[in-house]
Amino acid sequence: MNKCVSAAEAVSAIESGMTIGIGGWGPRRKPMGLVRELLRSDVKDLTVVAYGGADVGLLCAAGKVKKVIFAFVSLDFMPLEPAFRKARESGAIEVREIDEGMMLLGLRAAAWGSPFIPTRIGLGTDVVTRNPDLALVDSPYDEKEWVAMPALNLDVALIHATRADERGVCEIASPDHYMDDWFARASKTTIVSADEIVASKHFNDPGVARRVYWERNCTTKVVHMPGGAHPSSSDPLYGYDVKHYKEYGALIAEGGFDAWSSAFLGSSEADYQAAVGGPDAIHSLPLPVY
Amino acid sequence: MTFTLAELMVCAASRSFDNDGEVLATGIGLLPRLAASLAMRTTNPDMMMTDSQSYMLSSPNPVSGMTSHEGQANENWMGFARIFDNVWSGARHALVGPSQVDRFGQTNIAALGGSYEAPKVQLLGVRGFPGNSISHANSFFVPKHSTRVFVEGECDVVCSIGYNPDRLPRGYSFADIDIRRVITDLCVMDFNGPNKQMRVISLHPGVPLSEVHENTGFELAVADSVDETPTPTEEQLAIIAELDPLNFRAKQLKDNPPGVRNA
């Protein structure tokens, strides 16, 4: 079975009004090349579920988002993602703001076919009072009330992996896979971009096999996209691009999405990568130290 | 011996972890992380700490001067999903820096002003505050004690549960919530006043109690004997210098004031 397709072909699975989950964390291992392909499409009214960074910011700035389900949207070294901040402060998007861990529970509920997972997280806070769609439930086993974190059923998940084979076996070689496995499991369709495509025998090494966090039947499409996480990191291959994020922030502040897209987006990933200095520049970005 | 206010606050904050034993301590921000690291190096060697990325460490990393993770004292892998397993078990103490704290010990890091649908200022989002606050011990680090932080009414967005009887979930009591200490640039406080009221327990050298009251938007309890916040020892200062060789701590408080007023 060969699941390798072009970015455009993969992203054509996404339709207006869908709920999409995006893997990675803030400025780390985000499937930005796939997000850029989405920015080039005419899809809109998306509900986005993510541990957000510029993926969420750009989609909001481009007017493609109806609702964001989030706990934060941050670039870490820049605590506030500039485009998301603009969208939020202008009231342009609906939100369901939840705790970081609640998002994990929602993805797990979806993956496990459960309508919700009970948790105490959110009790006593505005996560509950500001979200009319988060219900409180009784437990049959105690006298306490519980938050019923609903399943976050995704139509499509976008994930960036270090390596994949053509059958969709994915290796994440960076120190953490974040919640990417749960995004893959919670979704009907999972599109993975990978820095490298490898032969299946690559996974025969037990050390490599331990870095495979979901089964290949959770991967629908694979897109070969070296440098495809840029400007986020794909540790150990490259770090995140502080300089580009700063330029992005400045362009968003001055001229919004149009200013950034006319400077960088281009009509293909090759155009984009050329605009940010080329593949070699991406691959020489230093790894962050915390 | 001279020391800065930042160093005094780090030492005061580190004492929050003294009796924690084997819990995961997380200091969010440079000074809180220094405080947790100092506690691990001095009063609580059993403490657990991560590298803020994906490994548990047997000894804290410095907060400045590191150019690589090579050679750090890894103990176990500790990816973000696994952090939640620890958080929800309760064996954690987080030292965090909220933008607002109200009289109930509820905090805000999400947004300020305007409406919830279109806030005047979008901040970080609720992040992990809801889960942290109902699962384990939390302390607060406030670099600038003012009525903008310690607000008169409730926080604009309540991100963490506090001792607010009106928001207490059914089946819960104040005993289920554990807010330990508040360390500011003026004083140290806890929540052991009457009915879990916020209470001044020590004042930093040269700070009058009146200044704390004036800069707090609500009524504070005051401990029977308010001590002066203990000043850093030579050993503590040496360890702080070792943990922060590039002196990033000097840039954390405006103008890097001295630890003793008019000193």
Side-chain angles (χ1 to χ4, degrees), chain A residues 58-69:
Chain A
L58 278 166
L59 289 168
C60 287
K64 299 207 167 287
V65 176
K66 178 166 178 276
K67 183 174 183 176
V68 182
I69 299 179

Side-chain angles (χ1 to χ4, degrees), chain B residues 151-231:
Chain B
V151 292
E152 189 178 353
E154 267 195 305
C155 292
D156 294 359
V157 180
V158 173
C159 300
S160 62
I161 190 169
Y163 302 111
N164 180 354
D166 291 339
R167 282 181 181 260
L168 206 54
R170 187 165 50 74
Y172 278 76
S173 73
F174 283 175
D176 296 311
I177 300 156
D178 188 0
I179 311 176
R180 298 278 177 85
R181 288 194 169 192
V182 185
I183 297 90
T184 79
D185 57 335
L186 299 180
C187 65
V188 179
M189 298 175 285
D190 64 15
F191 283 84
N192 293 330
N195 210 24
K196 290 292 184 186
Q197 190 182 10
M198 205 160 109
R199 181 183 77 149
V200 181
I201 55 175
S202 77
L203 292 163
H204 299 342
V207 175
L209 182 60
S210 58
E211 190 176 336
V212 174
H213 284 302
E214 281 159 21
N215 286 287
T216 306
F218 48 85
E219 201 70 29
L220 286 171
V222 179
D224 292 341
S225 73
V226 174
D227 302 319
E228 185 177 274
T229 306
T231 55

Side-chain angles (χ1 to χ4, degrees), chain A residues 3-18:
Chain A
K3 296 176 181 172
C4 289
V5 294
S6 69
E9 196 179 328
V11 166
S12 69
I14 302 176
E15 295 167 17
S16 292
M18 279 186 167

Side-chain angles (χ1 to χ4, degrees), chain A residues 25 28 51 70-74 76 79-80 84-85 87-93 95-102 104-105 108 119-127 129-131 137-139 142-146 174-179 182 213 235 287-290, chain B residues 33 51-55 61-63 66-69 77-81 84-85 87-90 106 110-111 115-136 155-162 167-172 176:
Chain A
W25 181 282
R28 309 178 203 187
Y51 294 98
F70 76 108
F72 63 83
V73 180
S74 173
D76 283 9
L80 308 175
F84 174 74
R85 184 174 194 176
R88 181 89 175 91
E89 291 173 2
S90 68
I93 46 170
V95 294
R96 183 202 278 169
E97 186 169 8
I98 54 174
D99 175 273
E100 289 172 8
M102 284 173 90
L104 177 61
L105 294 178
R108 282 182 177 163
T119 175
R120 57 190 170 180
I121 302 166
L123 290 172
T125 75
D126 282 339
V127 159
T129 59
R130 299 287 188 178
N131 283 301
V137 293
D138 293 330
S139 163
D142 64 32
E143 299 306 312
K144 291 180 175 176
E145 64 184 350
W146 294 82
S174 36
D176 195 352
H177 57 287
Y178 307 117
M179 319 304 158
W182 295 103
Y213 297 97
D235 195 337
L287 299 180
V289 177
Y290 298 96
Chain B
R33 185 172 149 196
D51 64 353
S52 305
Q53 193 175 18
S54 46
Y55 290 94
N61 278 341
V63 300
M66 267 193 103
T67 54
S68 164
H69 286 286
W77 180 76
M78 199 68 194
F80 283 11
F84 294 124
D85 294 330
V87 164
W88 300 336
S89 79
Q106 300 173 148
S115 66
Y116 185 74
E117 292 67 30
K120 188 151 177 290
V121 183
Q122 169 67 25
L123 301 175
L124 296 175
V126 300
R127 297 218 63 149
F129 272 37
N132 293 351
S133 58
I134 203 159
S135 300
H136 58 67
C155 292
D156 294 359
V157 180
V158 173
C159 300
S160 62
I161 190 169
R167 282 181 181 260
L168 206 54
R170 187 165 50 74
Y172 278 76
D176 296 311

